[in-house]
């Protein structure tokens, strides 16, 4: 039994929904929306929670990043990502590192941009996270991310049921807690934008695809029981999206300098 959150079976199913190398909603189009208003051409990026490789490939091929350092804590996703990066011929522009949870293994002022897409939910201590992000950014550098936020500090029974169904160590925080963490780290130009309206629609489309051809295709690889388990998760997720308690959000902030 693996302790990984994203074993091969889960990677295969999520790629059936969101595209090769993507473990979170929206694929390369949502990566572009997270980056909206930011020019990363030629910049050095750190991607926290790089996952299966699709995001880092998009950062280089679609957005012109100079060099991307991707971090993750799991061997299976990193092996998958390395294969995709090699196939794309991008091994000289993307480097992947396995890390343990905790401080980032880089000296101060290393990166122009720290990026993350739907991964820092797994880091409960947002204040420590934002202090580390601030430390490794160059003066004038940007933190640019999306994450799964929660509408209130105390979860409803519906939300608790959804989190339990996911079986993940969700360290979900409110927008206020993120803002406090970024301010405590001395970031400026803080921007927090809800994506709940978008994902409420997207999640329903994903559920229909899981019930339809995408689910049948995935079942041939991962098995019908696994797909049905995930359909049940989506069925629990949509009500808490509708209530606003589950709130995907874009975040950005700038290190002064």
């Amino acid at each position: 039994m693996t302790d990984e959150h994203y074993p091969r079976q889960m990677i295969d199913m999520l790629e059936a929904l969101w595209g090769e190398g993507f473990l979170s909603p929206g694929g390369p189009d949502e990566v572009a929306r997270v980056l909206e208003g930011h020019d990363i051409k030629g910049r050095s990026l750190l991607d926290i929670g790089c996952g299966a490789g699709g995001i880092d490939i998009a950062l280089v091929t679609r957005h012109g990043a100079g060099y991307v350092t991707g971090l993750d804590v799991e061997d299976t996703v990193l092996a998958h990502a390395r294969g995709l990066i090699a196939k794309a011929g991008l091994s000289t522009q993307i480097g992947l590192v396995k890390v343990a949870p905790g401080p980032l293994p880089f000296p101060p002022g290393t990166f122009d941009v720290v990026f993350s897409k739907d991964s820092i939910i797994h880091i409960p201590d947002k204040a420590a996270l934002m202090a580390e992000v601030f430390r490794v950014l160059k003066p004038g550098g940007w933190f640019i991310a999306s994450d799964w936020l929660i509408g209130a500090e105390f979860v409803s029974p519906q939300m608790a049921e959804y989190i339990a169904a996911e079986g993940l160590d969700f360290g979900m925080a409110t927008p206020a807690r993120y803002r406090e963490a970024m301010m405590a780290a001395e970031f400026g130009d803080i921007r927090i934008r809800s994506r709940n309206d978008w994902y409420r629609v997207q999640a329903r489309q994903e559920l229909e695809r899981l019930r339809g051809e995408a689910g049948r295709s995935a079942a041939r690889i991962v098995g019908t029981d696994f797909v049905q388990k995930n359909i049940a998760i989506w069925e629990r997720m949509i009500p808490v999206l509708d209530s606003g308690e589950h709130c995907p959000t874009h975040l950005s902030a700038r290190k002064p300098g």
Side-chain angles (χ1 to χ4, degrees):
M1 183 79 171
T2 180
D3 290 330
E4 292 188 338
H5 294 135
Y6 297 97
R8 184 68 212 207
Q9 191 180 36
M10 179 63 83
I11 294 170
D12 289 340
M13 200 205 74
L14 295 179
E15 284 188 320
L17 272 183
W18 296 322
E20 188 176 54
F22 287 92
L23 304 181
S24 64
D29 291 341
E30 182 64 2
V31 172
R33 287 186 285 263
V34 175
L35 289 170
E36 211 167 78
H38 299 279
D39 183 359
I40 65 168
K41 290 185 181 66
R43 302 293 187 181
S44 61
L45 269 78
L46 175 65
D47 179 17
I48 298 176
C50 62
I55 290 169
D56 291 351
I57 290 170
L59 291 171
V60 170
T61 59
R62 295 188 177 217
H63 303 284
Y67 191 86
V68 176
T69 301
L71 301 184
D72 214 293
V73 298
E74 297 190 4
D75 290 315
T76 303
V77 290
L78 285 169
H80 188 77
R82 288 188 179 107
L84 293 184
I85 289 162
K87 186 172 75 172
L90 295 173
S91 297
T92 60
Q93 290 173 270
I94 302 170
L96 303 182
V97 181
K98 184 183 180 184
V99 296
L104 297 170
F106 305 102
T110 302
F111 300 99
D112 296 307
V113 176
V114 174
F115 182 89
S116 185
K117 186 174 187 300
D118 307 330
S119 293
I120 50 179
I121 187 171
H122 298 292
I123 303 173
D125 190 340
K126 307 306 182 190
L129 167 66
M130 295 316 305
E132 276 295 283
V133 169
F134 190 91
R135 182 183 66 81
V136 302
L137 276 171
K138 297 176 183 177
W142 281 91
F143 168 63
I144 306 168
S146 65
D147 196 23
W148 303 89
L149 272 63
I150 193 165
E153 289 291 351
F154 300 100
V155 302
S156 69
Q158 269 189 321
M159 189 69 184
E161 185 179 293
Y162 160 64
I163 292 171
E166 284 276 16
L168 298 175
D169 58 345
F170 277 1
M172 299 181 89
T174 61
R177 188 136 51 98
Y178 257 114
R179 184 177 295 278
E180 288 167 6
M182 289 189 277
M183 290 177 68
E186 301 187 346
F187 275 104
D189 297 321
I190 295 169
R191 302 169 196 173
I192 298 174
R193 182 164 66 97
S194 172
R195 296 287 285 148
N196 179 273
D197 286 346
W198 169 76
Y199 195 54
R200 285 169 63 193
V201 174
Q202 186 81 1
R204 284 172 164 80
Q205 293 172 354
E206 290 165 0
L207 178 57
E208 289 310 305
R209 292 179 62 213
L210 278 172
R211 289 170 171 163
E213 184 52 41
R216 289 190 289 272
S217 296
R220 289 192 283 271
I221 302 168
V222 304
T224 300
D225 288 349
F226 192 76
V227 173
Q228 289 301 317
K229 176 184 174 183
N230 280 275
I231 286 172
I233 291 170
W234 258 254
E235 289 172 340
R236 288 177 171 87
M237 178 171 62
I238 287 171
V240 293
L241 284 166
D242 287 346
S243 72
E245 196 169 8
H246 183 8
C247 190
T249 298
H250 289 180
L251 307 157
S252 66
R254 183 174 178 270
K255 179 175 180 174

